[in-house]
């Protein structure tokens, strides 16, 4: 996990200290912000893409500190 977290930071993701990310389903890591001491489980889908009126939009995702997102959410 420390190597994967470092990789996500290189991709532009803002990750707090003590955060554990076990998912690889992140479509736009540069739009992801995760607070301190947060756990994100396996196979969690963090999708920044929405489709409305035949137009795709990218939106940021913010996850606060001391949060836990279970597997396959």
């Amino acid at each position: 996990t420390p190597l994967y977290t470092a990789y996500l930071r290189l991709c532009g993701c803002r990750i707090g200290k003590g955060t554990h990310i076990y998912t690889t389903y992140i479509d736009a890591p540069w739009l992801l912000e995760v607070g301190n001491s947060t756990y994100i489980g396996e196979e969690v889908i963090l999708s920044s893409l929405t489709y409305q009126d035949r137009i795709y939009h990218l939106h940021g995702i913010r996850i606060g500190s001391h949060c836990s997102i279970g597997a396959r959410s």
Side-chain angles (χ1 to χ4, degrees):
T1 346
L3 183 61
Y4 183 58
T5 304
Y7 167 75
L8 287 174
R9 285 187 176 122
L10 287 174
C11 291
C13 183
R14 293 177 300 277
I15 301 173
K17 294 181 181 181
T19 296
H20 299 281
I21 299 175
Y22 294 100
T23 186
T24 57
Y25 299 118
I26 303 171
D27 59 359
W30 60 92
L31 295 175
L32 179 61
E33 182 178 340
V34 183
N36 298 327
S37 301
T38 296
Y39 169 83
I40 300 174
E42 296 179 29
E43 298 182 22
V44 172
I45 299 173
L46 298 173
S47 178
S48 300
L49 189 65
T50 60
Y51 180 76
Q52 183 177 4
D53 296 327
R54 293 189 278 172
I55 299 174
Y56 288 99
H57 296 279
L58 282 173
H59 302 279
I61 297 175
R62 291 184 184 170
I63 301 171
S65 297
H66 307 287
C67 296
S68 177
I69 301 175
R72 296 177 204 80
S73 297

